[in-house]
Structure formats: structure tokens, C-alpha cells
Amino acid sequence: MIPCLDLKRQHQSIKKEIFEAFEKVYENTAFSGGPFVEEFEKSFARYCNTSYAVGVNNGTTALHLAMMALGIGQGDEVIIPANTFIATAWGVSHVGATPVFVDCDADTWEIDASKIEQAITSKTKAVIGVHLYGQPFDIDAVKQICDKHNLFLVEDAAQAQGAKYNGVNVGGFGEMACFSFYPGKNLGACGEAGGLSTNSEKYTKHLQSLRNHGSVVRYYHDEIGYNMRMGGLEGASLSVKLKYLDSWNNRRRAIAKRYLSEINNPKVKMQKQPAKTDSIFHLFVVTVENKDAFVKHLSDNGIAAAFHYPVPCHLQKAYAYLGYQAGDFPNSEYLAYHCVSLPMFAELTDEEVNTVIDVVNKY
Ligand SMILES: *Cc1c(COP(=O)(O)O)cnc(C)c1O
């Protein structure tokens, strides 16, 4: 079976280096925050072309802290796409604010900028754009709307470490960007981790305090805070892996290029890649009318598939209280019910890629 994602291949190739890094953390007993996290923060900020990066314990936390640092809370509304991993909405909910969903574009599957203005009310404070599947959303269009209405722009870049927009790595286009370093992401820690990038010193200091019990000076607590620090082992593993990220991303781009040009089955639709965007293909999602038959065909021919994501956010049980209905966001709903993720990771062999293309074309 060709897997959708096989983390073992990558981790075998860097095992020695990772274990050496773990040994240093162990010798220093720098398990929580500390020098190995700081070292990663410095190099990750450089990678994002931002002045600062703040490491935290996961990507959901990053979104939560972003909302807190922006002063968003009870009674506020934040606009997000209906087709994203649910955690984009959790950050908003965790501060007591309300997520307001908008539909995606039918072809790029990214947040549809032309739908944002009609969702803005006097309570709207921010828009969280998601670089879905590793492809940047239409940042220029969304930013223009945010500027016009005085809204904060936050990037959910959990799937997009190293993706480029107009030739520049994502992470510095809004007030802040939120990243997940969950093991399965393009840059994944050996453990749970997340982070934020920003050009603002003010946000950075606030985020550093919030993640550490609302404290700058030990045992003095300026506000109600959290324990959301990144672990030292996670930080050390991320510093090792960051060195390889561009080459892994480029291998994914090469595989995607082959899928995009060599899959020519008219029953299979792929994500449109606008000229300004340079995706890192965290996932390679296609849509097909008869998803079950397609998945069976793949599986009968030794190819695993996955679904990202089968239920759009506005129809999740957790958000039933918001009163959205089926049919509210037709493009997001179509995507949810017809999406199939094909195998996509840097260590796929050319032979495996040949097989995927062949089997998809024979459907
Ligand atoms: C993975 C992911 C998150 C959450 O990150 P965790 O580290 O799993 O908490 C948030 N948003 C998007 C779009 C994601 O893919």
C-alpha cells in the first residue's frame, strides 16, 4: 500500500542528528522553554522574514494566544473560512469570541475575499486567513478589505511553513501568523509544538508572558496567564528539521508538479494554483463526484487515501448553536463531501508517484 503520509521514512533519515540534539537537551536538562527553544525561535523568525517568533506548545494554542494578544474576547467576531481544520475556529472560541464563517472560492478552495465584506458587522475585529493545504490565500485582496475596515489580519499558516506569496515566505503578511509543528505538518516536531511569527515587539512580549503564566519576572503575575510553553526536546528537533525544510518542500513541489501536469482524468479536479502563490503542498487534495467509488479504486490498486476535511466547520456539532444551515456555503460543502487526499510527502519515490498518476488516470 502506498501511504498518504509516512513519517518513518523522514525520521529514519535524520535519526542520528535528532538524537544528538536530544542528548544536548538532556545534558542541559533544558526541557521546558530555554536555550533550545530560543535558538529555534531565532532561526524560524529569520525563515519567516519576521523580527520575532514565539514558540508554544501547539498550533491551537498559537491561535488562542494570537486572539488574546490582539485583545479579542467576549462579544467580538472573527471571520474565518468554513473549509479549514476546526482549530482555526478554536482560537476564536477559546477567548469567548464568535467565529463567523465565509465560503471558499470554487477553484482555489481558499477563503473567498469577495464574500468577506458581507460578513463584517460592528463587532468584527479580525480575519484569520488560512493557507489551506499549504497554498497561500489571496493575501492582497483580504488585506485590502482588512485595511479598509480596520480589522486585524492573522495568518493561519499551520499547513504552510515555507509557502511563498509574491515570492516571500508566509508569516509576515498580517499582525501575526500562527504555525503548527504537529508531527504530520511540513515542519513537524518530535512531539507537540506550535509557534507564532510577527514583526511587533509589543505582541512578542505579550505572547511570551501569556504562555508563561502571565509572568515576565518569575513569581510576579501581571495578568491571568497560561502554561503554553514549547518543550526543549521539541525545540531542538525543530532546529534540526528546519535545515531540511526547503529541500523537503521542493521535493513535494516536484511531486505536485507531476500530479498537476500528468493527472489528466477529467473526473478528477485539482486545486487551482494562482500565479502569486507558491504552495508547499502539505496535502494534495482532489475532488471527484463519486468519492466512494474513487477511494475503492485507489485502495484496490494499493493506494491509501484520506479526507481533509469531511465536515465543514459551520456544520460541526460544536457550532450548531450558531445556527448555520446546510447550503449556506456551497463551495465549502462541495469540497467537504468530494475531497480525497492523494499520497503526498517528500520521501515518496518516483516509482510510487508513477503508480499514483497511473491509477488515478485509469479511474
Ligand atoms: C494543524 C492545524 C491547526 C492546529 O495545530 P495543532 O498543532 O494540531 O494544534 C490549526 N489550523 C490548521 C489549518 C491546521 O492544519
Side-chain angles (χ1 to χ4, degrees):
M1 202 75 165
I2 301 175
C4 241
L5 170 64
D6 180 359
L7 288 179
K8 285 188 188 147
R9 296 188 200 179
Q10 180 186 85
H11 287 94
Q12 278 307 325
S13 76
I14 53 170
K15 183 173 171 182
K16 191 164 164 279
E17 236 182 308
I18 293 270
F19 274 49
E20 280 165 12
F22 283 171
E23 193 152 13
K24 283 191 204 144
V25 177
Y26 198 91
E27 296 301 332
N28 284 280
T29 61
F31 297 119
S32 174
F36 298 95
V37 172
E38 283 163 29
E39 187 188 327
F40 171 68
E41 288 172 334
K42 281 208 188 84
S43 40
F44 193 65
R46 249 191 327 272
Y47 189 77
C48 296
N49 295 298
T50 55
S51 309
Y52 309 96
V54 178
V56 294
N57 55 346
N58 61 61
T60 306
T61 292
L63 286 151
H64 180 179
L65 289 186
M67 295 297 105
M68 291 206 67
L70 294 173
I72 292 168
Q74 204 100 43
D76 294 333
E77 293 177 354
V78 177
I79 293 173
I80 70 171
N83 62 318
T84 179
F85 179 59
I86 194 71
T88 309
W90 289 158
V92 178
S93 294
H94 289 168
V95 295
T98 303
V100 173
F101 299 108
V102 298
D103 207 358
C104 63
D105 180 84
D107 299 315
T108 66
W109 305 339
E110 302 294 341
I111 188 168
D112 184 347
S114 73
K115 302 274 167 61
I116 292 176
E117 277 192 307
Q118 64 204 59
I120 295 174
T121 73
S122 58
K123 297 174 181 168
T124 310
K125 289 285 164 12
V127 177
I128 306 177
V130 180
H131 304 308
L132 191 71
Y133 309 144
Q135 176 177 307
F137 62 88
D138 188 351
I139 297 174
D140 288 340
V142 176
K143 200 168 164 49
Q144 201 179 359
I145 295 163
C146 288
D147 289 346
K148 181 175 157 195
H149 295 271
N150 234 322
L151 307 175
F152 296 124
L153 174 62
V154 174
E155 296 172 72
D156 182 341
Q159 305 186 351
Q161 303 92 340
K164 291 178 199 296
Y165 186 77
N166 282 332
V168 178
N169 280 10
V170 300
F173 288 98
E175 298 292 316
M176 270 175 260
C178 302
F179 291 88
S180 166
F181 305 121
Y182 177 76
K185 299 290 161 83
N186 282 37
L187 177 61
C190 298
E192 296 272 0
L196 300 101
S197 59
T198 181
N199 285 308
S200 157
E201 188 185 0
K202 185 185 94 183
Y203 293 147
T204 301
K205 289 198 162 139
H206 196 184
L207 292 165
Q208 287 168 338
S209 164
L210 284 168
R211 75 173 168 186
N212 189 34
H213 302 291
S215 168
V216 177
V217 178
R218 200 169 203 183
Y219 303 127
Y220 291 80
H221 306 279
D222 308 323
E223 64 182 313
I224 294 173
Y226 299 87
N227 178 357
M228 294 175 166
R229 292 178 299 256
M230 183 188 278
L233 292 166
E234 283 77 8
S237 68
L238 286 166
S239 288
V240 170
K241 291 174 93 179
L242 183 59
K243 293 186 289 181
Y244 298 100
L245 182 60
D246 281 338
S247 71
W248 289 333
N249 281 344
N250 286 336
R251 171 63 183 157
R252 286 173 184 263
R253 286 177 172 122
I255 294 166
K257 199 168 159 197
R258 289 200 54 202
Y259 283 170
L260 287 161
S261 63
E262 294 175 44
I263 292 176
N264 49 30
N265 185 336
K267 291 184 210 132
V268 177
K269 200 183 148 191
M270 293 177 274
Q271 186 180 21
K272 188 180 167 193
Q273 312 287 321
K276 284 179 182 177
T277 67
D278 184 5
S279 176
I280 52 157
F281 300 95
H282 169 57
L283 298 167
F284 197 92
V285 175
V286 302
T287 60
V288 284
E289 273 301 321
N290 191 346
K291 171 166 139 175
D292 293 342
F294 181 64
V295 170
K296 183 169 186 310
H297 170 78
L298 293 178
S299 149
D300 288 348
N301 289 281
I303 296 169
F307 311 103
H308 300 90
Y309 300 90
V311 181
C313 297
H314 66 292
L315 300 178
Q316 293 284 357
K317 211 168 166 187
Y319 286 122
Y321 77 96
L322 294 174
Y324 289 100
Q325 303 295 324
D328 283 347
F329 305 120
N331 295 336
S332 298
E333 290 167 32
Y334 183 89
L335 184 64
Y337 305 142
H338 299 88
C339 65
V340 178
S341 303
L342 299 178
M344 174 53 80
F345 54 99
E347 297 76 18
L348 276 171
T349 65
D350 288 341
E351 205 174 311
E352 287 171 323
V353 174
N354 293 343
T355 305
V356 174
I357 292 167
D358 220 47
V359 170
V360 171
N361 282 336
K362 281 192 180 126
Y363 170 66

